[in-house]
Amino acid sequence: MGHQYQVVSWNRQKRIYDGVVLTGILLFFGAFTLLQLKLHPEITFETLIIRATAVLAFLMLHIILCIGPLARLDKRFLPLLYNRRHLGVIMSLIALTHGVFSIYQFHALGNVNPILSVFISNPNYNSIGLFPFQILGFFALIIILIMASTSHDFWLHNLSPKVWKSLHMMVYLAYFLLVGHVILGVLQMEQSPYLIGLLALGAGIVTSLQWSAGSKKRNQEIGKEQVQDPFVKVCRVDDIAENRAKTVLIGKENIAVFKYDQKLSAVNNLCRHQNGPLGEGKILDGCITCPWHGYQYLPHNGQSPPPFTEKVETYDVKLIDGWVYVNPTPYAEGTPVEPCPIHSIIARN
Amino acid sequence: MENPEKANEEFYIGWQPMSPVAQMRFTRKISLLILVCVLFIASAFVYFQKGFSSSQFEYGDVTTISGMLTMTPFPMLSVNHGMDMDGQAVIQQIVLVGAGKHGAEAYIQQVEKKYGGQLDFSNVTISGFLIYHDGHTLMEVKELVPANPDKAPSTIPFTMSGEAYGSISGEIADPKCFFGVMKPGFGKPHLSCAARCIAGGIPPVLKSSTASGEAHYYIIVDHDGNPCNYSILPFVGDRVFLHGRIKTSGDWQFIFVDDLDKIVRVPDEMAYEGITCNTIQH
Ligand code: HEM
Ligand code: FES
């Protein structure tokens, strides 16, 4: 399923996804505006826009950052991941509205260029209390816009998944900058313990989810005692469900061992699309199918079925007394490897 | 071990038109939960934020008003509202500002060029948008025309009186935003904007609150009564002590700062803002 960018794939599930996102946005703006007008009828239009877009974009960023680890921890969250890039692009547009309105309201129509004004109007760079918090938002917005404009698979392909992935890791930097933007900005003026509490709750949820998903990954690592040179013991063959895989991390090699049609095959666990966990996918119509966006690979050679061209590394697998062993030295991407048959062993057991 | 049939059913693929039923239920539940959270956050933010002031900016709502224009230290219009019960003239002083983050000076100079003469201390008619709060009025000038010179002056010229001397602590703000154009027009988020407005020629004010929460505003000028916008720029948005003579003109008070090189920031631990001494009374 490579080269998806050539096909404008807009299916029912994507439409539902975007519909839910849109509903959420309308609900937010509706509730925010109605309540502001009821509790604070003296609010100006600009402040209403600036605040509504700020809070919504920041909230959406929290949701975006939680989806990844949630899907890692519980596969039922995968549908949220599938169209996450739309969520990201919409969030970036809302954040841009906040940035543009803020710059217009606070910096335009003056005696210097508005963007320059963001940087020079408050020169207290060496103070924490008076720090010009706007620049933190400014750089976060730049990062968010770069990510949104390169989110298309076209860029993923042209930048190589590795560069693309590191580019998109900058979202954590953006998040960090924004926490500063909020703490040093509006929270210093509002000083409401409830708003501070909400921010702490948000940051707490994001960091703990990221941490637990990260530690789940670390737990897969294989201990040294399981090494049977050059093969490493993975698990009992019975521990792998039919058409599913077991993943292991041996040194730097992230490997998925699949069981299908009384055979075992091992491929690299990282999908060439966006490094999705192939080992959490499933064999469908004879192809390993990535759980994230459905890219497919043949288990015996790690190649996407034609006309697609994605390839992952393959590995030697063997079975001894019902134990699965894998050789962590990879073959080049797309190298055919004879699958290891299971039936004889099972018969012997 | 998983039932292979069931496992097949349960595997979600985004590019398929339908998602498995159990999965669909879960997704629906989660989506609803997220929507509830979204509503909660929207309400909680509005509920817990501080309110805004009742200041007013009548943007787009043109008022036309006549009076005497004075240019120093900042453009102001003195409007005669007739006599009060004691037979005293009721004079309102309106601080004039330009569009956006500019003072009114540049525009008035253009008008002076057009009519070929000084307008200081002359009668003019101004159309613009009123800005008012806490008993003080400003106007964003849209149009200014000199009044008929044959007509007798209708206002009492701008004078300052009631001199006092003292130290006042408070926050330096720009009155245009603070008195109504923006909400909130003070505090940390507003600091940069205030700096732009004051650099653009809008008269800076010191906003000083007493312990009981009553606010006083002082237009800041230098020792000789001239604008000092650039000297106080580094302190905009900050709480400072200003030391000097205090004079009144109509509804506005002015502070003539003794030494602009010796402005002191109020230490963080000092929560109380206010007038700390008020010595010489003439
Ligand atoms: C050019 C970039 C940005 C500028 C100049 C900027 C400026 C500001 C200003 C002036 C405020 C205070 C507004 C007020 O008092 O109501 C503010 C608040 C805030 N900003 Fe930004 N911002 C920028 C980017 C961002 C981005 C990218 C986000 C998040 C996605 C963000 C999130 C927030 C939040 C959550 C608040 C607090 C809520 C509020 O008071 O509106 N900002 N920002
Ligand atoms: S299909 Fe997108 S990461 Fe695998």
Side-chain angles (χ1 to χ4, degrees), chain B residues 56-63 128-132:
Chain B
Q56 285 292 329
F57 178 41
E58 297 185 341
Y59 188 73
D61 196 353
V62 178
T63 302
F129 308 134
L130 284 176
I131 301 163
Y132 44 90

Side-chain angles (χ1 to χ4, degrees), chain A residues 11-13 36 40 42 47 51 76 79 105-106 108-109 111 117 121 131 184 189-190 282 284 293-294, chain B residues 7-8 12-18 23 35 49-50 52-53 101-102 182-183 188 192-193 195-196 199:
Chain A
N11 62 15
R12 183 173 167 276
Q13 291 197 49
Q36 284 283 18
H40 308 286
E42 65 289 345
T47 301
R51 293 210 161 174
R76 290 177 302 169
Q105 155 128 315
F106 294 107
L109 306 178
N111 60 348
S117 165
S121 292
F131 190 83
L184 297 179
M189 183 181 67
E190 295 288 337
K282 177 168 185 150
L284 282 176
H293 314 90
Chain B
N8 246 332
Y12 172 85
I13 311 173
W15 44 259
Q16 286 180 343
M18 300 295 285
Q23 174 68 66
L35 292 181
Q49 84 186 352
K50 275 186 198 159
F52 306 99
S53 71
K101 297 173 177 59
H102 295 280
M182 292 186 194
K183 317 234 175 159
K188 184 85 190 282
S192 314
C193 174
R196 281 276 66 72

Side-chain angles (χ1 to χ4, degrees), chain A residues 106-136:
Chain A
F106 294 107
H107 301 278
L109 306 178
N111 60 348
V112 296
N113 174 300
I115 305 279
L116 180 65
S117 165
V118 172
F119 288 87
I120 64 162
S121 292
N122 172 1
N124 297 301
Y125 283 90
N126 53 3
S127 148
I128 291 185
L130 291 171
F131 190 83
F133 69 100
Q134 291 91 341
I135 61 151
L136 301 175

Side-chain angles (χ1 to χ4, degrees), chain B residues 37-199:
Chain B
C37 286
V38 164
L39 276 180
F40 170 75
I41 297 287
S43 318
F45 183 88
V46 179
Y47 192 77
F48 293 128
Q49 84 186 352
K50 275 186 198 159
F52 306 99
S53 71
S54 59
S55 55
Q56 285 292 329
F57 178 41
E58 297 185 341
Y59 188 73
D61 196 353
V62 178
T63 302
T64 303
I65 206 164
S66 296
M68 171 171 288
L69 176 72
T70 46
M71 292 297 284
T72 42
F74 295 99
M76 286 180 115
L77 188 73
S78 307
V79 182
N80 191 341
H81 286 294
M83 303 285 175
D84 66 10
M85 288 197 296
D86 302 331
Q88 297 274 331
V90 180
I91 306 292
Q92 184 189 20
Q93 307 275 4
I94 299 178
V95 171
L96 303 177
V97 295
K101 297 173 177 59
H102 295 280
E105 211 151 12
Y107 171 69
I108 294 173
Q109 280 163 3
Q110 273 177 23
V111 178
E112 286 181 333
K113 240 191 210 151
K114 191 168 139 197
Y115 288 93
Q118 295 266 320
L119 291 173
D120 201 4
F121 289 103
S122 66
N123 284 317
V124 295
T125 298
I126 297 178
S127 311
F129 308 134
L130 284 176
I131 301 163
Y132 44 90
H133 177 59
D134 259 3
H136 299 284
T137 309
L138 296 92
M139 183 181 249
E140 181 177 315
V141 180
K142 292 274 98 178
E143 199 186 3
L144 183 150
V145 285
N148 186 346
D150 302 336
K151 238 176 116 187
S154 61
T155 51
I156 294 166
F158 174 80
T159 50
M160 294 217 192
S161 60
E163 184 167 321
Y165 192 83
S167 256
I168 303 176
S169 68
E171 186 188 330
I172 300 182
D174 73 293
K176 185 177 180 191
C177 296
F178 182 75
F179 285 96
V181 176
M182 292 186 194
K183 317 234 175 159
F186 67 99
K188 184 85 190 282
H190 197 75
L191 195 158
S192 314
C193 174
R196 281 276 66 72
C197 288
I198 290 171

